[in-house]
Amino acid sequence: VVTWRDLGETASLKSASFAEQFRDYPQLLKSRRFWGYSMAMAFASGAFFSYLGGAPYVGTEVFGLDPKTLGLLFGAPAVGYFIGNYLSGRFSSTFGVNRMVLVGCILNVLGLSLSLIAFALGFQTALIFYGFTTFVGLGNGLVIPNATAGMLSVRPQLAGTASGLGGAMMIGGGAALSALAGVLLQPGLGAWPLMWLMWATALLGLITILLTLRRERQVKDGV
């Protein structure tokens, strides 16, 4: 009620109709930068969505956690996300969205890589598995708001269309990865399938933003 009565419209541009937004899609879909930001966001958040789909199974079936302990450990990414969002609000204007997305993707991959290494060395505990997912939340807290800003900046006049299309890519991809995590986790395999899926998805996010930054440099250089 407060939002409806008090928020007001902040957009200075006239909103396009639903049909007009569909007609605008080709302009966005032809932009490499739009794809870069959208897919970096989708892959980075995909690691988290994979976690949502598989972490409860890992906690109960692999580590034998009771509901109370599982609930506490399951929230580890939320702690990282809280910190990441704070850092985004604090430093994005200083360092720019590209650098923040890049750092977020690196942290995402770093945390999951450390988790895999720890497991390979025999430290296969619930605390290791859930603890390192804090990096996933931290990375997402840096990536999502900044990649969204970058995505909307590609065609400012199509910001609404970009928001809807990019958001659909993120949520749709996340739903698919969450379901895939459930399929991959089978008795006797431990947490490995989920960990590898999360790591591969995070790595794709890092590769995507690196390619996007390379494309931006080429455009600036007139290539």
Side-chain angles (χ1 to χ4, degrees):
V1 171
V2 172
T3 301
W4 177 70
R5 289 181 58 88
D6 188 58
L7 181 60
E9 179 57 73
T10 58
S12 58
L13 301 175
K14 180 181 178 182
S15 299
S17 67
F18 197 65
E20 289 172 333
Q21 290 185 47
F22 268 101
R23 288 195 292 269
D24 291 335
Y25 279 7
Q27 293 187 49
L28 289 172
L29 296 178
K30 292 177 182 177
S31 170
R32 294 185 187 182
R33 290 178 62 239
F34 172 78
W35 277 104
Y37 288 123
S38 297
M39 297 311 295
M41 181 172 66
F43 283 129
S45 63
F48 176 67
F49 280 111
S50 301
Y51 172 83
L52 293 180
Y57 175 90
V58 170
T60 56
E61 301 299 325
V62 177
F63 298 120
L65 300 177
D66 62 86
K68 179 180 178 181
T69 304
L70 175 59
L72 289 172
L73 294 177
F74 188 77
V79 176
Y81 194 76
F82 175 84
I83 297 171
N85 268 275
Y86 168 78
L87 294 175
S88 289
R90 181 71 174 81
F91 296 110
S92 291
S93 59
T94 302
F95 295 106
V97 297
N98 288 341
R99 189 173 298 177
M100 297 294 282
V101 173
L102 178 60
V103 171
C105 288
I106 290 173
L107 289 172
N108 210 355
V109 175
L110 176 63
L112 294 170
S113 297
L114 292 174
S115 183
L116 283 168
I117 292 171
F119 260 59
L121 292 175
F123 301 100
Q124 300 185 14
T125 67
L127 189 60
I128 291 292
F129 174 79
Y130 289 100
F132 278 110
T133 60
T134 305
F135 283 88
V136 176
L138 176 60
N140 274 264
L142 296 175
V143 171
I144 293 177
N146 288 286
T148 300
M151 181 177 66
L152 301 185
S153 70
V154 173
R155 298 286 188 276
Q157 73 277 16
L158 303 177
T161 305
S163 177
L165 188 56
M169 291 179 185
M170 182 180 75
I171 299 301
L177 286 166
S178 180
L180 179 59
V183 171
L184 293 177
L185 286 166
Q186 299 294 331
L189 297 179
W192 288 106
L194 177 59
M195 295 173 70
W196 281 114
L197 177 62
M198 293 172 65
W199 181 83
T201 307
L203 181 62
L204 287 172
L206 177 58
I207 293 172
T208 301
I209 192 59
L210 287 173
L211 291 174
T212 303
L213 297 180
R214 179 187 177 189
R215 176 57 183 168
E216 283 205 353
R217 287 193 296 268
Q218 290 175 339
V219 171
K220 290 180 180 178
D221 294 339
V223 178

